């Protein structure tokens, strides 16, 4: 079969090369880009049955269009003192622009939901958005007037615009809105007149609201700010004040990147215009869940760019050192380039077809971070396949045969090892398909599909191109007669391709086969200590999304400033939905909810429970107040505020007079284990009431949603996936090995070595990053153990398969020991080169951490803006380290030692019989 394949490739070599170029060019032109079809987010890909997902689904049904899934907090303040009157000027400038943007977005949303000029709201879906538009415009204009009064005669001498020095467009928009609502003519005329006085050229520059490009702001639902008459005092202190932008998008949604960029542009305009009047030290920082998620995505994209660049640089460097032949460097690079372009185009096309339901039964998604795995594994494994083929070609070409025969023999001789090596990786990664967590479920098969394309390229295009190029491919070296007098190929490395000298691997093979028991014992012992450390701490990972970013990331700096002045839990409450089986009257539902809130206050670290009776959770059960006190007045005002209207009870069909909504504020970081334990206690208390026949909530269904419940669910499902996938990967790879090697004992041992390598790598990585990060270390990223396991178990077998396949091939002609020595000598240099290539591609994932500082030290600007993503850095380091351990330790010592012992045992058994 392998010989037939090799002959077909040789016969149609020109058509194969031309065909692959046409396919790659066509794919590049016709297929959508990765960014066009990429999805993101973590919580969106939890199983539908998880509590937080079901809770989110119920929120969408009970409160359609009102669900805030993430937030951007704009924090303005000082770290070393109180704010002053000049700072207020900057704050007013910021808020007038933000409220006007909210008005524009709300008006567009009303139009999208069917708002028509002059139509009465009366329970229309768009009614609340028109109300919010009018309120936001009123806020923008009122704040604009205060801003200009405070600005006084300090108006900058710059050309006027729609928003500077006055917010003329807001007056014009309010006139247009009032006109469409059929309001009083005097008010409309007054606003038009004010707009024209403030900016006479406005009519020529005016764009109707429906035609404005507000796509970056389309997820904005509402703004809560320190200027709000009712809740504003909760959002400001003497040293800081904040505006909370409530978004409809999930915290790690791709669209948040555009939103953050739009916010940055707005803040830049504010600082350029009014920031000049503030004293030094004033900060406007973004934080909040959406800011953290968006900045994480931006960092991921930067990491992908750096990884792709340095992957190519490192592979080029290694190929130049190994071969010192231009064409031998070009062939692998061209091959992998075609593989990357074609495979990624295939994946993006299939993803687009899946999203459009163009192919029945197809369910495929790609993610922003998936590309980094595709690139490094395709470049690493693909280059390895090319190196294996070229190494065998050099052997065959050294014999007295034609180039065509040498090429065919090389391809047929190496096909088995290539297929075995590739299938262990493809099948291992494919096992991620059984994961319940969507990102795992889709990512593994995507990488496996791309690697399959890479394998096909390396078994068709690469040998065809080598045949077309002929012996000149080795220029400036020459392939001469390298056979021994007896016609056999000498048992030393492949010329200069190993770069290690002619005697290194024969010496190593001789040493190993002489003392296998001692080497095996010492070898396992050395890895055992870090492996035990890794095994004990395998589940000790962090789900804190903010810790993914370095301490100098803006969202992290904003978080520190916010913690300095506010309680962080206020912005990330746990939302509780309690639904009775039958409808009751509204008054009873409110009373029962109030009693439920009282019981939750008994749980330690619950600092506030927000209900319709107490919308901000300002009045716990032990806080008494008089009927005419200021607190009583503020409480009644809060109950009529827009954040409380239709927020705590649903009027949707199936939920009216059944569903109660509560927001619980917990004292602590929403991503921490301690906060997760508090939320678990809350769930237990609610469950006990649901199971208590004496409770008014007996038999009620209870769901929790929000950041912390989502983190709890994410941890639960991924830990379950880890256990299930690890078993599946080990079994799948074992079956592939058994199919290729057909020796159960040896296959079991090979699996054991990569497991030992995995745990040792995990232990060493934990120790390294604990030392690197110091007090900031909170654990390795939660995705690292699974991806490290799957990739190391799958990829780590490549070199073992190649070595063992060569041993079995040589063993057909020679005894076990001699076959092993020859196999180690023949494959030592090339496997080492391949291991270095694979490790280099993985280590390139860390480049976003070390290259920007190096570039900055040489005077290159802009690199300080790059935020390194710790999860990718940790995984790149661990994968690179694991491959080096497999290449230089497992394959060099542990596998040959065991094969020697096994060979001796079989020889004794044979002699005894």
């Amino acid at each position: 079969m392998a010989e037939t394949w090799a002959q077909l490739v040789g016969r149609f070599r020109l058509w194969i090369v031309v065909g692959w170029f046409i396919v790659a060019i066509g794919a590049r032109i016709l297929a959508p880009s990765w960014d066009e079809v990429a999805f993101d987010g973590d919580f969106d890909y939890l199983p539908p049955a998880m509590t937080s997902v079901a809770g989110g689904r119920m929120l969408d049904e009970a409160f359609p269009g009102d669900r805030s899934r993430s937030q951007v907090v704009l924090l303005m303040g000082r770290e070393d003192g109180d704010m002053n009157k000049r700072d207020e000027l900057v704050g007013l400038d910021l808020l007038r622009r933000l409220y006007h943007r909210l008005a524009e977005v709300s008006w567009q949303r009303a139009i999208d939901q069917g708002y028509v000029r002059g139509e009465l709201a009366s329970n229309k879906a768009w009614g609340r958005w028109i109300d919010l538009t009018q309120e936001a415009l009123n806020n923008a204009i009122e704040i604009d007037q205060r801003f200009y009064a405070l600005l006084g005669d300090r108006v900058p001498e710059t050309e006027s615009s729609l928003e500077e020095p006055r917010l003329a467009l807001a007056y014009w928009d309010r006139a247009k809105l009032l006109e469409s609502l059929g309001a009083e003519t005097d008010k409309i005329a007054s606003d038009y007149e004010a707009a024209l006085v403030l900016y006479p050229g406005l009519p020529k520059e005016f764009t109707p609201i429906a035609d404005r490009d507000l796509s970056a702001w389309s997820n904005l639902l509402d703004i809560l700010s320190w200027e709000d008459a009712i809740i504003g005092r909760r959002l400001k202190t003497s040293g800081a004040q904040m505006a909370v932008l409530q978004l409809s998008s999930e915290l790690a949604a791709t669209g948040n990147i555009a939103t953050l960029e739009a916010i940055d542009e707005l803040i830049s305009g504010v600082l350029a215009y009014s920031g000049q009047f503030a004293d030094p030290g004033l900060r406007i920082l973004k934080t909040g869940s959406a800011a953290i998620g968006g900045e994480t995505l931006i960092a991921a994209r930067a990491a992908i760019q750096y990884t792709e660049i340095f992957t190519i640089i490192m592979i080029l460097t290694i190929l130049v050192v190994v071969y010192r032949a231009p064409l031998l460097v070009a062939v692998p690079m061209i091959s992998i380039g075609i593989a990357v372009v074609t495979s990624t185009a295939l994946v993006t096309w299939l993803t687009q077809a899946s999203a459009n339901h163009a192919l029945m039964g197809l369910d495929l998604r790609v993610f922003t971070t998936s590309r980094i795995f595709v690139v490094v594994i395709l470049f690493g494994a693909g280059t390895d396949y090319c190196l294996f083929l070229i190494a065998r070609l050099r052997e065959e070409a050294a014999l007295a045969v034609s180039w065509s025969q040498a090429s065919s023999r090389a391809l047929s001789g190496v096909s088995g090892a290539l297929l075995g090596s590739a299938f262990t990786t493809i099948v291992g990664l494919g096992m991620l398909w059984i994961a319940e967590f969507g990102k795992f479920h889709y990512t593994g098969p995507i990488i496996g599909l791309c690697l399959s394309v890479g394998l096909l390229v390396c078994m068709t295009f690469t040998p065809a191109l080598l045949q077309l190029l002929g012996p000149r491919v080795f220029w400036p070296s020459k392939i001469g007669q390298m056979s021994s007098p007896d016609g056999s190929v000498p048992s030393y490395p492949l010329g200069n391709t190993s770069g290690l000298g002619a005697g290194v691997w024969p010496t190593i093979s001789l040493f190993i086969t002489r003392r296998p028991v001692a080497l095996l014992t010492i070898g396992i012992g050395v890895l055992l200590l870090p492996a035990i450390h890794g095994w004990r701490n395998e589940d000790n990972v962090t789900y804190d999304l903010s810790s993914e970013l370095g301490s100098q990331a803006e969202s992290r700096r904003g978080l520190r400033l916010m913690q300095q002045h506010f309680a962080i839990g206020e912005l990330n409450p746990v939302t509780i939905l309690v639904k009775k089986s039958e409808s009751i009257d509204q008054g009873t539902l409110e009373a029962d909810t109030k009693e439920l809130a009282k019981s939750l206050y008994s749980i330690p670290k619950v600092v506030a429970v927000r209900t319709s009776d107490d919308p901000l959770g300002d009045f716990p059960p032990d806080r008494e107040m008089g009927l005419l006190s200021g607190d009583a007045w503020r409480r009644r005002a809060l109950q009529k505020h827009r954040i409380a209207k239709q927020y705590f009870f649903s009027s949707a069909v199936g939920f009216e007079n059944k569903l109660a909504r509560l927001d619980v504020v917990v004292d602590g970081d929403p991503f921490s284990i301690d906060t997760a334990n508090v939320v678990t206690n809350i769930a237990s208390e609610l469950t006990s009431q649901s199971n208590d026949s004496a409770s008014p909530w007996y038999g009620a269904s209870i769901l929790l949603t929000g950041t912390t419940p989502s983190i709890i669910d994410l941890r639960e499902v991924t830990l379950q996936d880890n256990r299930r996938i690890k078993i599946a990967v080990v079994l799948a790879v074992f079956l592939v090995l058994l199919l290729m090697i057909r020796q159960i004992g040896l296959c079991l041992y090979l699996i054991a070595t990569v497991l030992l390598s995995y745990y040792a790598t995990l232990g060493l990585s934990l120790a390294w990053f604990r030392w690197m990060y110091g007090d900031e270390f909170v654990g390795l990223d939660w995705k690292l153990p699974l991806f490290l396991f799957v990739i190391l178990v799958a990829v780590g077998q490549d070199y073992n398969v190649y070595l063992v396949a060569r041993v079995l091939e040589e063993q057909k002609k020679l005894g076990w020991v001699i076959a092993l020595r020859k196999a180690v000598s023949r494959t030592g240099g090339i496997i080492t080169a391949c291991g270095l290539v694979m490790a280099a591609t993985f280590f390139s994932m860390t480049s976003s951490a070390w290259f920007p500082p190096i570039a900055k030290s040489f005077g290159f600007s802009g690199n300080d803006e790059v935020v390194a993503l710790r999860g990718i850095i940790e995984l790149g380091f661990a994968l690179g380290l694991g491959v080096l351990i497999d290449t230089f330790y497992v394959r060099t010592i542990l596998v040959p030692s065991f094969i020697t012992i096994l060979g001796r045992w079989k020889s004794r058994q044979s002699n005894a019989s």
Side-chain angles (χ1 to χ4, degrees):
M1 183 68 178
E3 292 178 359
T4 303
W5 178 269
Q7 290 171 3
L8 288 173
V9 171
R11 184 181 307 168
F12 298 103
R13 54 187 178 273
L14 180 59
W15 290 105
I16 290 172
V17 170
V18 173
W20 273 113
F21 274 116
I22 292 174
V23 168
I25 293 171
R28 181 70 178 84
I29 295 172
L30 299 177
S33 70
W34 194 279
D35 289 341
E36 287 178 42
V37 298
F39 294 83
D40 260 300
D42 288 329
F43 303 150
D44 279 342
Y45 301 102
L46 289 169
M50 301 304 289
T51 299
S52 61
V53 179
R57 206 163 47 241
M58 182 178 285
L59 271 178
D60 289 336
E61 295 170 1
F63 305 94
D66 292 349
R67 183 185 176 195
S68 172
R69 305 185 67 195
S70 63
Q71 299 167 324
V72 173
V73 179
L74 298 183
L75 197 71
M76 189 175 78
R78 296 181 177 275
E79 298 177 354
D80 53 358
D82 294 343
M83 299 180 64
N84 55 44
K85 201 70 173 177
R86 290 180 295 278
D87 297 337
E88 183 182 352
L89 186 68
V90 180
L92 293 175
D93 192 10
L94 175 66
L95 287 185
R96 65 179 185 145
R97 299 177 195 237
L98 284 174
Y99 275 118
H100 182 246
R101 195 68 74 238
L102 174 63
E104 293 176 305
V105 172
S106 301
W107 196 350
Q108 277 196 357
R109 191 173 288 118
I111 293 172
D112 292 340
Q113 294 184 6
Y115 171 65
V116 179
R117 176 188 175 98
E119 186 176 354
L120 298 176
S122 62
N123 297 325
K124 299 290 185 181
W126 46 261
R128 66 178 300 271
W129 299 114
I130 288 295
D131 291 342
L132 183 56
T133 301
Q134 193 164 4
E135 183 177 349
L137 285 172
N138 291 340
N139 286 340
I141 290 172
E142 188 271 332
I143 293 174
D144 177 71
Q145 292 169 345
R146 290 173 53 200
F147 167 76
Y148 194 70
L150 188 61
L151 187 64
D153 58 0
R154 295 176 292 178
V155 179
E157 295 182 1
T158 56
E159 187 176 351
S160 298
S161 68
L162 294 173
E163 297 181 340
E164 297 172 359
R166 300 296 301 276
L167 200 56
L169 184 58
Y171 288 89
W172 191 272
D173 282 344
R174 189 169 69 175
K176 287 287 185 182
L177 178 65
L178 293 174
E179 192 174 59
S180 72
L181 292 172
E184 298 177 20
T185 306
D186 290 345
K187 291 184 178 180
I188 297 171
S190 175
D191 277 348
Y192 276 138
E193 182 181 359
L196 291 173
V197 168
L198 296 175
Y199 189 63
L202 196 152
K204 293 181 180 179
E205 298 183 27
F206 176 74
T207 302
I209 193 72
D211 297 333
R212 296 179 193 174
D213 182 12
L214 299 171
S215 56
W217 296 90
S218 60
N219 54 356
L220 179 62
L221 294 175
D222 204 348
I223 297 173
L224 307 176
S225 79
W226 68 84
E227 285 295 326
D228 189 289
I230 306 299
I231 67 171
R233 73 186 192 92
R234 295 288 297 273
L235 301 177
K236 63 182 176 183
T237 65
S238 60
Q241 47 199 25
M242 60 181 173
V244 182
L245 280 60
Q246 297 181 325
L247 307 182
S248 61
S249 53
E250 197 251 326
L251 63 89
T254 308
N256 289 348
I257 295 176
T259 303
L260 293 180
E261 290 172 347
I263 292 172
D264 283 336
E265 184 178 353
L266 187 146
I267 292 174
S268 295
V270 169
L271 294 177
Y273 191 75
S274 56
Q276 57 186 302
F277 303 113
D279 295 333
L282 181 66
R283 300 283 184 268
I284 300 180
L285 298 173
K286 302 187 303 295
T287 190
S289 57
I292 293 170
E295 200 166 8
T296 299
L297 290 175
I298 293 171
R301 290 187 176 181
I304 290 170
Q305 292 173 353
Y306 278 108
T307 298
E308 291 178 348
I309 293 170
F310 280 96
T311 294
I312 295 171
I313 292 174
M314 288 181 177
I315 289 178
L316 275 173
T317 302
I318 293 173
L319 290 176
V320 168
V321 171
V322 168
Y323 288 125
R324 297 188 291 278
L327 290 177
L328 283 183
V329 173
V331 168
M333 296 306 298
I334 294 172
S335 300
I336 306 309
I338 288 177
V340 169
V341 170
T342 305
S343 62
T344 53
L346 175 63
V347 166
T348 58
W349 180 79
L350 289 174
T351 303
Q352 188 178 65
S354 175
N356 297 333
H357 305 289
L359 296 176
M360 293 298 294
L362 179 65
D363 182 23
L364 190 66
R365 295 190 178 189
V366 298
F367 306 97
T368 299
T369 49
S370 301
R371 182 175 173 84
I372 200 166
F373 294 109
V374 169
V375 169
V376 296
I377 292 178
L378 253 186
F379 267 95
T383 304
D384 285 357
Y385 301 154
C386 292
L387 290 177
F388 289 153
L389 177 62
I390 292 170
R392 192 59 176 261
L393 176 60
R394 182 183 287 272
E395 285 187 46
E396 299 296 340
L399 301 173
V401 293
S402 68
W403 180 257
S404 178
Q405 288 176 317
S407 300
S408 295
R409 287 183 184 179
L411 180 56
S412 62
V414 82
S415 291
L418 289 185
L419 288 171
S421 298
F423 280 137
T424 56
T425 307
I426 293 169
V427 172
L429 289 167
M431 287 300 100
L432 286 169
W433 183 260
I434 69 173
E436 290 191 60
F437 180 53
K439 275 197 167 181
F440 293 163
H441 173 77
Y442 293 110
T443 299
I446 286 169
I447 302 172
L449 178 60
C450 291
L451 194 56
S452 299
V453 174
L455 175 65
L456 185 60
V457 170
C458 293
M459 292 190 67
T460 56
F461 175 85
T462 307
L465 183 59
L466 288 170
Q467 284 213 34
L468 286 175
L469 291 173
R472 71 176 66 89
V473 76
F474 292 102
W475 181 88
S477 300
K478 292 183 179 181
I479 301 297
Q481 185 74 15
M482 295 177 58
S483 58
S484 299
D486 61 356
S488 64
V489 178
S491 57
Y492 49 79
L494 311 174
N496 292 326
T497 59
S498 70
L500 297 171
V504 173
W505 289 104
T507 303
I508 291 175
S509 65
L510 188 64
F511 182 72
I512 291 172
T513 53
R514 285 178 175 173
R515 296 176 177 82
V517 176
L519 285 173
L520 185 65
T521 304
I522 295 172
I524 292 176
V526 169
L527 288 184
L528 206 56
L529 187 61
I532 292 173
H533 179 59
W535 179 71
R536 287 181 174 176
N537 294 278
E538 188 175 15
D539 292 340
N540 186 19
V541 294
T542 179
Y543 287 78
D544 186 347
L545 300 185
S546 65
S547 68
E548 279 270 284
L549 303 167
S551 59
Q552 293 307 307
E554 182 183 357
S555 57
R556 292 286 300 276
R557 288 186 285 121
L559 198 61
R560 289 195 296 271
L561 183 59
M562 186 171 72
Q563 288 175 315
Q564 185 177 333
H565 297 281
F566 302 96
I568 189 173
E570 291 280 348
L571 295 176
N572 292 278
V574 177
T575 296
I576 299 172
L577 300 172
V578 190
K579 183 184 178 185
K580 291 178 177 285
S581 56
E582 297 180 356
S583 298
I584 59 176
D585 66 85
Q586 183 70 21
T588 303
L589 185 60
E590 291 182 5
D592 290 348
T593 304
K594 187 175 180 179
E595 290 302 313
L596 182 61
K598 287 182 180 179
S599 68
L600 294 178
Y601 273 109
S602 64
I603 299 173
K605 290 202 170 183
V606 170
V607 297
V609 181
R610 300 170 182 169
T611 64
S612 60
D613 184 63
D614 185 11
L616 291 183
D618 281 342
F619 306 101
D622 58 352
R623 182 175 178 183
E624 300 294 336
M625 58 184 170
L627 182 63
L628 300 178
S629 69
D631 284 341
W633 171 87
R634 193 166 65 85
R635 186 172 188 172
R636 289 192 294 271
L638 280 170
Q639 293 169 354
K640 297 179 181 179
H641 194 277
R642 73 171 186 276
I643 67 169
K645 289 180 180 179
Q646 298 182 337
Y647 182 88
F648 295 102
F649 299 107
S650 173
S651 58
V653 177
F655 297 97
E656 190 172 10
N657 295 331
K658 287 184 178 181
L659 180 70
R661 175 177 180 175
L662 305 87
D663 283 353
V664 179
V665 178
V666 177
D667 180 19
D669 186 337
F671 297 103
S672 71
I673 294 294
D674 291 340
T675 303
N677 292 335
V678 176
V679 173
T680 301
N681 293 336
I682 292 172
S684 299
E685 169 64 24
L686 294 170
T687 301
S688 67
Q689 295 216 25
S690 176
N691 294 331
D692 184 1
S693 58
S695 169
W697 297 101
Y698 177 66
S701 57
I702 300 166
L703 294 172
L704 280 70
T705 189
T707 300
T708 305
S710 295
I711 291 292
I712 293 173
D713 286 347
L714 181 64
R715 182 180 182 86
E716 179 183 343
V717 73
T718 52
L719 289 179
Q720 290 175 354
D721 279 344
N722 282 0
R723 290 186 285 269
R724 183 168 55 251
I725 290 170
K726 285 174 181 176
I727 295 173
V729 169
V730 168
L731 290 176
V733 172
F734 173 75
L735 290 176
V736 174
L737 290 175
L738 193 60
L739 184 65
M740 299 295 301
I741 299 173
R742 303 180 188 278
Q743 296 189 30
I744 294 179
L746 182 55
C747 292
L748 288 173
Y749 178 75
L750 293 179
I751 290 292
T753 59
V754 292
L755 291 176
L756 180 64
S757 173
Y758 159 72
Y759 282 111
T761 301
L762 187 62
L764 292 171
S765 298
L766 274 165
W768 172 260
F769 286 107
R770 184 175 284 114
W771 175 76
M772 282 287 293
Y773 295 149
D775 294 338
E776 289 187 12
F777 183 74
V778 292
L780 295 175
D781 181 67
W782 59 275
K783 297 181 288 295
L784 185 145
L786 182 63
F787 280 120
L788 179 65
F789 181 89
V790 173
I791 294 174
L792 275 191
V793 170
V795 174
Q797 292 294 0
D798 279 7
Y799 310 131
N800 292 339
V801 168
Y802 190 69
L803 172 62
V804 172
R806 190 59 182 267
V807 171
L808 296 177
E809 179 184 342
E810 299 293 345
Q811 196 257 336
K812 294 176 182 178
K813 301 173 290 185
L814 306 168
W816 268 96
V817 175
I818 301 301
L820 177 63
R821 288 177 180 174
K822 189 171 182 180
V824 171
S825 299
R826 286 289 176 183
T827 63
I830 198 61
I831 290 180
T832 300
C834 290
L836 289 174
V837 166
M838 185 65 79
T841 60
F842 286 136
F843 279 127
S844 69
M845 294 170 65
T846 69
S847 56
S848 60
W850 49 263
F851 178 72
I854 292 175
K856 186 179 179 182
S857 68
F858 283 94
F860 292 96
S861 60
N863 295 294
D864 55 332
E865 298 177 1
V866 175
V867 176
L869 201 59
R870 287 186 173 180
I872 291 178
I873 294 167
E874 291 169 2
L875 183 57
F877 174 87
L879 285 170
L881 177 62
V883 169
L884 290 180
I885 290 174
D886 279 334
T887 303
F888 289 95
Y889 201 84
V890 174
R891 183 266 312 184
T892 303
I893 298 174
L894 300 188
V895 173
S897 298
F898 181 81
I899 292 176
T900 303
I901 296 171
L902 185 64
R904 287 181 178 177
W905 178 78
K906 286 190 174 184
S907 297
R908 293 193 189 100
Q909 292 292 106
S910 177
N911 294 333
S913 62

